[in-house]
């Protein structure tokens, strides 16, 4: 009688499950026991609709989080105390009208004078209880040697830099001048662009902010310093000269840096420092909060080859604060297309309103000095913040100490649940767990291999190895479709292995028919694939927590909600232990939070990686054409493997596999055809290829009596040959990988020289002390204004090994010089001018702190001079 009740219960439960999960009502009844097991079939159209819904929701999250910008306000709409983008855009227009304004140029002098005049106007219109001090600061010569990041192993020497500095404080609060908030950006640009994004937009925001703050500061307890510096593009020299030379720098308690690594969009936080006080206040009051700790982790790892003034404030001044950056359309960074026409409406309003609310929150606070002191008293690593925004509307913020507690709790609970499950399931459960992990590994392998194969094929069918730079959506078909197909292939192979093993396990249950045992194996295999996704995210959470990565919150988001949904909707206490098809509600409920939190972030990261490929080849000609494709394809494959594991586990019991395979092949085929036919060009007038045209006067290695050689060097930091461009220019260029230069530098051979000092105009710029090196060279990089020293004295101290005869003999074979010098001039020679007039419209000169101008002189000094 008892047995009959259990069978009846099983029939009822399994039948109702078929209805809830969208499975076919086909039934198999064991003749011996009467147990009913549905044939595990899921409608292919249900799964395809589910896939499209999740894809659409992910894209919608991205658009709302990163593309939705506030409406620009006029001066009348903003009011006297508000922020107006329309007014700020007038400053952007004025600064970009000067054209490129690098250090030492007449255009930079004009730009500085414009900012100075705007600052004086703010002084005249400020609230009568607010004191506005304007300082035109001339920085003396100095040397900037950072211990980490992009400029490690270099000494950056500067001279004759001019900055505009405003200090806004309440007139009747004497102590306000002793506790200040620094807001900083740079006026100068690289030589190749007018710099609408980098960084005229930031300067304009600061000018409009200063005007608004000058109407509020009578209620402040702290002063606000606005630093408009020059020399940032030459190695963060403006920030260094202010921190080391200006008397106001001693009063700074918190630093806010505004930067641009693209043009417009939402300006988000990507660095915070060790003290969370600043971002806590920002998260509390920002109208449109934007920021992700994953960007901070990537920046700190060196994956993003860039540096901002915030590094100087952290390393040299030991300050915490916030580092903002515009990152939209990063492919135009430091090219001619960093122009006013591409600056999105609402970009300045977004940053301006956030910053104004932040300054109105921190300016009146009495906690600023205490917050500055806290960073020396607390564990900076454990007290630093983990932060991310949700849809650009809310910011989630907690410290690493809390994160460690939370993560450890989740990890321990997960391990206890898994241990209990394996104990109850015995040996078959342990083997099934291992096979589910194997399915995850197969997903990663097949997805990466399929996507990488497309990356290798691409240079063979396209005129450019990176044909998607101007049209980033192409990566969906070129790399996303193969990655999806590979993920499905790998997981389905794992599904077949799991089903085979589980069929053997169920074969011992002789009371069940063969078809029943097969159906049970399929149902159980589906569940183990889902649980395999939980395992992969648990492993990533353990790894991230061990290394203290702030971006471990992503693993937490992709582990807890799907696990909770599975436990709530799939676990059962019934004695009938037959598996059932996974419910669609489990997937929708489990993925809602992860998609909301991370879908936009993953899409933005992919777009950022695509944009960075424009300047990927930092030493032109030294990397294979396919390498950039492999990096972006691998990134996409890993993201798809990690995030699609739950959704793909539902496809194996449906007939959607063939439709899915056809759709991915069609997407890849259409994308490849668009690239092969040239229908979608790799570059455009608004997204240009980064190139350099340099007239080189090379006097290196010349024997006495021989003159220098002269040639025009044409090279690109964007992967791919310049064949098409050279054909259009038609000036008889030949391939010469050894002819490209690396920027103005003095490189000192540290294997021969133990130490050195540098003096300019009888002033010691670089003293004798321990110096770092990269690959046996220490690099001095100098930039300055028109009145900089023209003569320098370099004193070299020979290393002890220089007297070693055996080492001398070895060095004689390699012929490494003692010194290597390149001098750049911002002049366009007739030869260069001729090339520039014929330069294709899809190419743009590219500037950075280590790239040459259009005229360079090369010299070296042998060891045995």
């Amino acid at each position: 009688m008892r047995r009959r009740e259990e069978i009846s219960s099983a029939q009822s439960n399994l039948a109702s499950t078929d209805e809830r999960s969208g499975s076919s009502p086909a039934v198999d009844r064991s003749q011996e026991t009467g147990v009913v097991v549905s044939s595990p079939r899921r409608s292919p159209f249900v799964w395809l609709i589910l896939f499209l819904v999740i894809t659409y929701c992910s894209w919608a999250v991205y658009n709302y989080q990163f593309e939705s910008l506030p409406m620009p306000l006029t001066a009348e709409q903003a009011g006297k105390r508000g922020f107006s983008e329309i007014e700020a855009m007038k400053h952007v227009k004025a600064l970009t009208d000067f054209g490129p304004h690098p250090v030492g140029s007449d255009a930079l002098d004009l730009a500085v004078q414009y900012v100075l005049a705007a600052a004086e106007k703010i002084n005249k219109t400020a609230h009568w209880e607010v004191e506005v001090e304007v300082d035109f600061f001339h920085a003396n010569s100095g040397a900037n040697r950072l211990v980490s990041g992009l400029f490690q192993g270099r000494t950056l020497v500067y001279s004759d830099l001019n900055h505009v500095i405003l200090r806004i404080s309440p007139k009747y609060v004497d102590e306000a001048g002793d506790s200040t908030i620094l807001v900083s950006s740079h006026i100068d640009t690289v030589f190749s662009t007018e710099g609408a994004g980098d960084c005229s937009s930031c300067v304009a925001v600061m000018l409009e902010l200063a005007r608004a703050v000058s109407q509020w500061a009578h209620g402040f307890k702290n002063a606000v310093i606005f630093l408009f510096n020059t020399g940032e593009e030459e190695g963060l020299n403006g920030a260094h000269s202010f921190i080391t030379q200006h008397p106001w720098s001693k009063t700074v308690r918190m630093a806010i840096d505004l930067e641009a690594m693209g043009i417009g969009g939402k300006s988000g936080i990507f660095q915070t420092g060790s003290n969370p006080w600043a971002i806590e206040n920002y998260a509390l009051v920002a109208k449109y909060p934007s920021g992700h700790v994953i960007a901070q982790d990537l920046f700190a790892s060196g994956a993003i080859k860039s540096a901002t003034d915030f590094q100087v404030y952290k390393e040299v001044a030991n300050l915490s604060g916030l580092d903002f950056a515009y990152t939209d359309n990063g492919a135009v960074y430091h090219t001619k297309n960093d122009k006013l026409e591409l600056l999105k409406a609402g970009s300045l309003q977004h940053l301006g309103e956030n910053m104004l609310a932040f300054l109105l929150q921190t300016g009146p606070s009495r906690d600023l000095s205490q917050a500055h002191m806290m960073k020396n008293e607390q564990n900076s690593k454990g007290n630093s913040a983990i932060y991310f925004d949700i849809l650009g509307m809310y910011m989630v913020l907690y410290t690493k100490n809390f994160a460690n507690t939370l993560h450890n709790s989740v990890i321990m609970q997960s391990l206890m649940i898994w241990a209990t499950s394996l104990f109850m399931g015995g040996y078959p459960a342990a083997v099934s767990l291992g096979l589910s992990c194997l399915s995850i590994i197969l997903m990663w392998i097949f997805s990466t291999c399929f996507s990488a194969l497309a990356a290798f094929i691409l240079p063979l069918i396209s005129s450019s190895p990176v044909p998607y730079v101007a049209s980033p959506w192409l990566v969906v078909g070129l790399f996303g479709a193969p990655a999806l197909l590979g993920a499905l292939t790998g997981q389905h192979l794992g599904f077949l292995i799991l089903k085979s093993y589980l069929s053997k396990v169920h074969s011992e249950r002789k009371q069940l028919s063969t078809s029943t045992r097969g159906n049970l194996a399929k149902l159980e295999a589906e569940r183990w694939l889902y649980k395999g996704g939980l395992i992969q995210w648990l492993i990533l959470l353990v790894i991230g927590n061990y290394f203290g990565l702030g971006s471990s919150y992503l693993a937490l988001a992709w582990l807890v909600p799907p696990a909770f949904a599975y436990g709530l909707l799939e676990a059962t206490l019934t004695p009938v232990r037959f598996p059932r098809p996974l419910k669609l509600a489990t997937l929708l409920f489990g993925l809602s939070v992860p998609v909301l939190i991370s879908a936009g972030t993953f899409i933005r990261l992919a777009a950022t990686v695509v944009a960075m490929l424009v300047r990927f080849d930092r030493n032109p000609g030294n990397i294979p054409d396919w390498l950039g494709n492999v990096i972006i394809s691998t990134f996409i494959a890993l993201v798809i493997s990690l995030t699609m594991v739950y959704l793909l586990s539902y496809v194996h019991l449906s007939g959607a596999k063939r439709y899915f395979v056809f759709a991915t092949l069609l997407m890849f085929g259409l994308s490849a055809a668009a690239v092969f036919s040239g229908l979608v060009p790799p570059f455009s007038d608004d997204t240009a290829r980064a190139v350099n045209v340099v007239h080189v006067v090379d006097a290196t290695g010349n024997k006495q009596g021989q003159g220098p050689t002269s040639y025009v060097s044409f090279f690109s930091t964007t992967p791919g040959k310049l064949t098409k461009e050279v054909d259009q220019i038609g000036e008889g260029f030949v391939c010469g990988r050894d002819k490209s230069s690396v920027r103005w530098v003095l490189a000192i051979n540290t294997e021969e020289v133990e130490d050195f000092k540098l003096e300019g105009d009888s002033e010691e710029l670089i003293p004798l002390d321990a110096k770092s090196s990269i690959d046996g060279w220490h690099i001095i990089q100098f930039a300055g204004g028109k009145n900089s020293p023209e003569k320098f004295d370099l004193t070299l101290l020979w290393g002890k090994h220089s007297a070693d005869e055996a080492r001398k003999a070895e060095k004689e074979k390699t012929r490494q010089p003692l010194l290597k010098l390149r001098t750049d001039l911002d002049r366009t020679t007739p030869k260069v001018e001729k090339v520039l007039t014929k330069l294709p419209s899809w190419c743009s000169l590219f500037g950075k702190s280590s790239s040459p101008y259009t005229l360079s002189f090369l010299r070296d000094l042998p060891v045995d001079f």
Side-chain angles (χ1 to χ4, degrees), residues 416-439:
M416 290 173 61
I417 292 172
W418 276 108
T420 304
S421 177
L422 293 178
F423 178 77
M424 295 178 63
Y427 179 77
V431 175
S432 298
L433 175 62
L435 293 178
S436 67
C437 293
L438 175 62
S439 73

Side-chain angles (χ1 to χ4, degrees), residues 61-62 65-66 266-272 279 282 288-299 304 323-325 327 385-396 550-551 553-554 596-605:
V61 167
Y62 167 76
Q65 186 171 10
F66 291 100
K266 290 190 175 182
S267 181
I269 298 171
F270 68 102
Q271 290 189 98
T272 62
I279 194 169
Y282 171 85
Y288 316 104
S290 180
H292 297 85
V293 72
I294 188 172
Q296 179 171 298
D297 287 343
L298 289 173
F299 206 83
I304 299 177
D323 199 2
F324 291 84
T327 56
I386 293 175
Y387 54 93
F388 56 92
D389 72 82
I390 299 177
L391 297 179
M393 299 173 61
Y394 310 99
M395 177 161 279
V396 178
S551 47
Y553 79 90
L554 292 171
L596 184 66
I597 288 178
S598 63
T601 304
F602 284 136
I603 295 173
R604 172 47 65 97
L605 282 175

Side-chain angles (χ1 to χ4, degrees), residues 97-141:
D97 282 347
F98 294 125
H101 35 282
V103 169
S105 66
D106 292 335
L108 181 59
D109 293 340
L110 294 174
V112 171
Q113 289 302 317
Y114 173 85
V115 174
L116 180 62
E120 295 289 0
K121 184 178 179 180
I122 293 171
N123 184 21
K124 295 176 181 178
T125 59
H127 190 278
W128 67 275
E129 291 183 283
V130 174
E131 182 177 9
V132 177
E133 301 168 81
V134 180
D135 184 20
F136 182 71
F137 177 61
H138 179 267
N140 298 321
S141 300

Side-chain angles (χ1 to χ4, degrees), residues 58-106:
S58 299
W59 188 252
V61 167
Y62 167 76
N63 275 277
Y64 198 89
Q65 186 171 10
F66 291 100
E67 300 295 331
S68 177
L69 292 168
M71 182 178 294
L73 299 181
T74 64
E76 293 75 18
Q77 291 172 324
K80 194 174 183 180
R81 293 183 164 192
F83 184 93
S84 167
E85 175 175 308
I86 303 303
E87 293 300 307
M89 285 296 291
K90 294 177 182 178
H91 298 307
V92 180
K93 177 69 166 58
L95 290 170
T96 54
D97 282 347
F98 294 125
H101 35 282
V103 169
S105 66
D106 292 335

Side-chain angles (χ1 to χ4, degrees), residues 238-400:
H240 186 272
S241 62
F242 170 76
I243 289 297
T244 57
Q245 298 181 24
H246 199 281
W248 290 353
S249 67
K250 305 299 185 294
T251 67
V252 175
R253 301 294 177 258
M254 178 175 65
I256 312 298
D257 182 51
L258 307 185
E259 256 296 351
M261 299 178 193
I263 181 165
K266 290 190 175 182
S267 181
I269 298 171
F270 68 102
Q271 290 189 98
T272 62
S274 59
N275 193 315
W277 188 83
I279 194 169
E280 286 173 354
N281 282 272
Y282 171 85
L284 188 65
V285 298
K287 191 174 181 180
Y288 316 104
S290 180
H292 297 85
V293 72
I294 188 172
Q296 179 171 298
D297 287 343
L298 289 173
F299 206 83
S301 70
I304 299 177
K305 302 294 183 181
S306 188
T308 71
D309 284 339
F310 195 69
Q311 183 179 356
V312 173
Y313 302 138
K314 284 200 303 181
E315 286 191 15
V316 180
N318 197 26
L319 294 170
S320 283
L322 303 174
D323 199 2
F324 291 84
Y326 287 115
T327 56
D328 261 23
N329 203 359
V332 309
Y333 176 67
H334 283 191
T335 70
K336 66 178 182 180
N337 292 317
D338 186 2
K339 55 189 179 183
L340 185 62
E341 293 83 350
L342 297 183
L343 187 57
K344 291 182 180 178
S347 301
L348 276 58
Q349 193 71 41
H350 174 267
L351 176 60
E353 288 197 45
N354 283 342
M355 277 298 302
L356 181 58
F358 173 74
L359 292 176
L360 295 182
Q361 170 74 11
T362 55
S365 175
R366 296 184 181 275
D367 299 329
L368 181 61
S369 296
Q370 296 178 5
H372 175 68
M373 295 170 60
M374 280 169 55
K375 65 183 173 57
N376 295 319
E377 298 172 0
Q378 296 185 358
N379 186 330
S380 60
K381 185 177 180 180
N383 197 45
S384 58
I386 293 175
Y387 54 93
F388 56 92
D389 72 82
I390 299 177
L391 297 179
M393 299 173 61
Y394 310 99
M395 177 161 279
V396 178
L397 175 69
Y398 50 94
T399 66
K400 280 193 174 181

Side-chain angles (χ1 to χ4, degrees), residues 476-507:
V476 176
L478 293 173
F479 301 133
L484 269 171
L485 182 59
L488 174 63
T489 303
Q491 194 185 65
H492 189 65
L493 183 58
F495 173 79
L496 295 177
I497 295 172
L498 262 169
K499 187 183 71 171
S500 175
Y501 171 74
L502 293 170
S503 295
K504 293 180 181 179
V505 172
H506 290 300
S507 65

Side-chain angles (χ1 to χ4, degrees), residues 16-44:
S16 62
T17 299
D18 294 338
E19 297 174 3
R20 292 193 300 267
S21 62
S23 299
S24 170
V27 169
D28 171 65
R29 181 185 298 273
S30 174
Q31 294 180 353
E32 298 181 10
T33 65
V35 174
V36 177
V37 178
S38 300
S39 179
R41 296 176 186 173
R42 183 174 285 115
S43 169

